[in-house]
Amino acid sequence: QVQLVESGGGSVPAGGSLRLSCAASGRTFSNYAMSWFRQAPGKTREFVAAISWSAGSTYYADSVKGRFTISRDNAKNTVYLQMNTLKPEDTAVYYCTTKIGQYSTNWYVHRYWGQGTQVTVSS
């Protein structure tokens, strides 16, 4: 049974930074891409960033490119999301997810999700 546990959310003023972590367990994650999505109230879940198993490839939504950095530590089965220069529009619940093979920006193709961690950015 795959388990994903996010942590690191919180409340910060605009311009601040947060670092999210996602600890994965329950299987070997070879060939699994890891991704972050977010969901604001009243909106659909949207893709934020993804990283390949080897960490050789990363992908970002245009809205976070240049501000967010995704990374992973395969020895710890953990993926991170460093978020800098946060904006009020980044306010959302952030979810970690994983899928075998290539990443996807579509939330509905992902089977495994964490419980989410709230990020609130005040103006």
Side-chain angles (χ1 to χ4, degrees), residues 1-3 9 13 15 27 29 47 68 74 86-88 110 112 116-118 121:
Q1 181 74 9
V2 172
Q3 288 191 317
R27 66 161 299 120
F29 290 93
F47 171 79
F68 292 10
N74 288 336
L86 282 161
K87 304 176 181 180
H110 293 83
Y112 304 108
T117 185
Q118 177 71 45
V121 185

Side-chain angles (χ1 to χ4, degrees), residues 58-71:
T58 56
Y59 314 89
Y60 297 94
D62 288 343
S63 59
V64 307
K65 203 171 292 184
R67 300 187 297 123
F68 292 10
T69 302
I70 189 170
S71 61

Side-chain angles (χ1 to χ4, degrees), residues 30-88:
S30 300
N31 297 321
Y32 275 70
M34 301 292 294
S35 301
W36 288 94
F37 282 70
R38 66 186 181 186
Q39 188 166 17
K43 295 188 177 181
T44 57
R45 196 165 296 190
E46 66 174 0
F47 171 79
V48 175
I51 188 166
S52 63
W53 160 249
S54 66
S57 299
T58 56
Y59 314 89
Y60 297 94
D62 288 343
S63 59
V64 307
K65 203 171 292 184
R67 300 187 297 123
F68 292 10
T69 302
I70 189 170
S71 61
R72 66 190 293 169
D73 183 338
N74 288 336
K76 297 180 179 179
N77 278 348
T78 300
V79 63
Y80 305 97
L81 186 68
Q82 178 66 44
M83 305 186 296
N84 298 327
T85 319
L86 282 161
K87 304 176 181 180

